[in-house]
Amino acid sequence: MVTTVDSPAAVGGFAPALRRLYFVRFAFAIVWAALVFLTTKSGLGAAGVVLVVLYPLFDVGAAVVDARSAKSGGSVTGLYVNMAISSLATIGIAVAATSGIPAVLRVWGAWAIVAGLVQLVVGVSRRKMGGQWPMILSGGISVLAGANFVIGASAADPALSGVAGYAVLGGIFFLVSAIRLGRAAKGN
């Protein structure tokens, strides 16, 4: 998967759309994490189920927007892979939610690992356009966090607070990337 975003014109046309998307992803992650933290303290519940299913579904939508914006700039294969992975995660988490938090953490962890690997590849392939180092770092952290979620599912009292923290950290990486993309565009 190689994204060919080499010309300043391609970067200039694509970067503003990507920057806006990153700002939206940041805001969504912060609001989502706060709601998860507030609604799942005493268990998964109906609101918690809706929220844990909504997050990967939102990821699918964000990848669709990203792919539409990126088509003129090169390959979007990684984004299509991300859409498929997040779609499967949405279904898997919905099914896992019927079994409780440990099952949700296992599926979420597997999703974080695979999606993190894809994010690493996409971030590396886009590094020439600038603003991608936070995304690369985020992909690596996602892999490690995913493994932690899978392991944490076997804890005595598993909770979704770690998933909420994971979303906040991911949101911060999106914010940093949006800011860096803005600086890179001003430098062109």
Side-chain angles (χ1 to χ4, degrees), residues 71-173:
K71 278 190 177 183
S72 64
S75 175
V76 293
T77 304
L79 294 168
Y80 287 130
V81 169
N82 184 54
M83 287 178 223
I85 292 165
S86 294
S87 295
L88 290 172
T90 300
I91 295 165
I93 290 170
V95 171
T98 64
S99 297
I101 291 175
V104 169
L105 287 173
R106 285 183 190 97
V107 175
W108 193 286
W111 173 48
I113 291 167
V114 175
L117 290 171
V118 171
Q119 186 177 8
L120 275 168
V121 171
V122 171
V124 167
S125 70
R126 288 179 170 175
R127 70 187 179 284
K128 288 182 182 180
M129 70 185 293
Q132 295 303 302
W133 285 109
M135 291 290 93
I136 293 167
L137 183 58
S138 176
I141 290 171
S142 185
V143 171
L144 297 174
N148 189 49
F149 295 142
V150 171
I151 293 166
S154 299
D157 190 23
L160 293 175
S161 57
V163 172
Y166 168 77
V168 168
L169 184 59
I172 290 169
F173 278 112

Side-chain angles (χ1 to χ4, degrees), residues 38-49:
L38 293 171
T39 62
T40 63
K41 285 183 181 180
S42 60
L44 195 53
V49 170

